[in-house]
Amino acid sequence: MPKPPAPRLRRLRRTPALRSLVREDRLSADDLIWPVFLCDGEGATQEVASMPGVLRRSVDLTVEAAADAHEAGIRAICLFPYTDAAHKSDLCEEAWNPENLSNRAIRAIKAEVPDIAVMTDVALDPYNAQGHDGIVRDGQIVNDESVEALVRMALAQAEAGADILGPSDMMDGRIGAIRDALEAAGHIHTTIMSYAAKYASAFYGPFRDAVGASGALKGDKKTYQLDPFNAEEGLRCVARDLAEGADMVMVKPGMPYLDICTRVKERFCVPTFAYQVSGEYAMIRAAAGNGWIDGEKAMMESLMAFRRAGCDGVLTYFAPEAAALIRAGWDGA
Ligand code: PBG
């Protein structure tokens, strides 16, 4: 028997047409959720120093931005309010004020751009004088009292018309408690995307500046967010949140945790999202700004990686830019 020729795997990489034919995945604007920052005022924008190209916008300009995003093919927008120190307290009451910045923005967007899905953040940190996602008593982040507050917050958001609630707090039992409260209040269609495998990460730094939480935070979030070494514990969190009624799950941060994304998708076969967080965005922007990498190519490659890892979609500050490139015919082949 003659020996078969050594495989020439480069044959299929020779031209853009061949590369396109054998491509295993695709990226479209449907896969993107755009996180946006809100601020008070009208016609107001503020730059976020640690996230070049990202703005906080007043509600009116957020409505315009949502309309543009929808026009570009983006299906969902996720709201994060910048909260003034004056609205922060130890019990975080502003979190469930029906007239808080986030709830006003939900109503305004749903009135003007009804077809874009509006996602929220369910966590107390923007409203907490201590900067934590849960209520602090005697230096401890108390779980069950925090869950009660999160339920109030979630109900106010559902009442305002949110399509997707995003509990990002990592307290135990919050998904079940929120789901029960939604059912009891008749909000049977409100979906929950649980931040299920959320790690205690240094990559959230720029976000905490963007929402005005950096100054407030005392200590770290390691008693509720996951240890970056732990994959199995992340999977247990996902199993638990699904059993409690989450419709979709999220892994966060994104790029340093692609292994978790793949394992979640393979094991649970549920809609799985990654959050490409502020620090990941800032790194790509900063390197590009210094001329050290091609920012556009690095951005698209990072988004392709989420698809390859098995994510159904990705929350990314790059969403409008990536959607515009895709619309202009980008295929990267
Ligand atoms: C707060 C929250 C955080 C992010 C989203 N929701 C920060 C944190 O947990 O400290 C981070 C998003 C980002 O870094 O882009 N519950």
Side-chain angles (χ1 to χ4, degrees):
M1 283 282 277
K3 222 169 113 225
R8 289 187 183 275
L9 293 177
R10 286 183 55 196
R11 264 187 221 116
L12 292 175
R13 297 179 210 143
R14 191 174 53 87
T15 70
L18 289 167
R19 290 197 290 273
S20 229
L21 273 175
V22 301
R23 203 162 230 200
E24 298 172 32
D25 217 325
R26 288 286 185 277
L27 179 69
S28 97
D30 292 330
D31 306 319
L32 308 175
I33 299 177
W34 184 28
V36 299
F37 297 111
L38 306 167
C39 64
D40 275 317
E42 235 188 275
T45 58
Q46 301 168 353
E47 289 180 8
V48 180
S50 49
M51 300 178 74
V54 167
L55 299 173
R56 301 185 196 109
R57 295 178 178 80
S58 52
V59 170
D60 55 327
L61 295 186
T62 303
V63 171
E64 280 179 23
D68 292 345
H70 180 249
E71 175 60 30
I74 293 170
R75 304 296 195 168
I77 186 169
C78 183
L79 309 179
F80 292 100
Y82 175 88
T83 309
D84 234 50
H87 288 304
K88 295 181 199 267
S89 63
D90 287 340
L91 292 179
C92 316
E93 290 94 340
E94 180 67 6
W96 53 91
N97 175 357
E99 293 304 321
N100 72 21
L101 183 55
S102 173
N103 291 333
R104 279 185 279 127
I106 297 169
R107 276 190 231 102
I109 297 169
K110 291 315 292 185
E112 301 294 327
V113 198
D115 293 337
I116 199 161
V118 175
M119 175 167 168
T120 61
D121 188 45
V122 186
L124 301 176
D125 52 322
Y127 310 103
N128 194 338
Q130 316 287 321
H132 278 287
D133 294 22
I135 292 170
V136 184
R137 289 201 182 276
D138 301 327
Q140 308 286 319
I141 290 86
V142 291
N143 194 87
D144 299 4
E145 190 181 348
S146 299
V147 170
E148 283 173 30
L150 293 164
V151 165
R152 284 196 200 109
M153 181 179 190
L155 281 175
Q157 294 172 348
E159 200 58 51
D163 299 284
I164 307 171
L165 305 184
S168 70
D169 55 286
M170 290 296 283
M171 297 300 122
D172 285 324
R174 88 277 203 219
I175 301 298
I178 291 171
R179 178 57 80 205
D180 286 348
L182 289 173
E183 290 283 321
H187 295 299
I188 60 170
H189 298 301
T190 308
T191 68
I192 300 177
M193 182 189 292
S194 159
Y195 287 62
K198 176 170 178 179
Y199 287 84
S201 175
F203 292 96
Y204 307 147
F207 172 96
R208 292 178 191 166
D209 292 339
V211 299
S214 328
L217 182 62
K218 296 181 182 66
D220 58 46
K221 300 192 175 184
K222 288 180 181 169
T223 69
Y224 46 106
Q225 299 179 350
L226 294 166
D227 181 339
F229 268 124
N230 292 2
E232 291 177 351
E233 192 181 356
L235 297 178
R236 289 213 302 279
C237 287
V238 170
R240 191 264 319 265
D241 287 2
L242 289 169
E244 289 186 14
D247 303 288
M248 306 175 262
V249 293
M250 188 203 293
V251 174
K252 176 180 175 191
M255 280 170 69
Y257 295 85
L258 289 177
D259 57 322
I260 312 292
C261 297
T262 304
R263 289 176 72 175
V264 167
K265 186 64 184 177
E266 286 181 348
R267 169 145 344 167
F268 298 101
C269 305
V270 296
T272 301
F273 292 78
Y275 197 143
Q276 182 179 48
V277 299
S278 55
E280 301 176 63
Y281 172 89
M283 285 195 300
I284 293 177
R285 271 280 194 264
N290 278 298
W292 296 335
I293 56 171
D294 181 322
E296 205 165 88
K297 290 201 174 95
M299 162 179 83
M300 296 314 271
E301 185 176 329
S302 69
L303 298 175
M304 291 154 84
F306 290 110
R307 296 286 300 160
R308 187 194 65 242
C311 294
D312 294 281
V314 46
L315 287 91
T316 175
Y317 301 98
F318 289 123
E321 220 179 310
L325 271 183
I326 292 167
R327 174 150 290 198
W330 171 91
D331 77 352

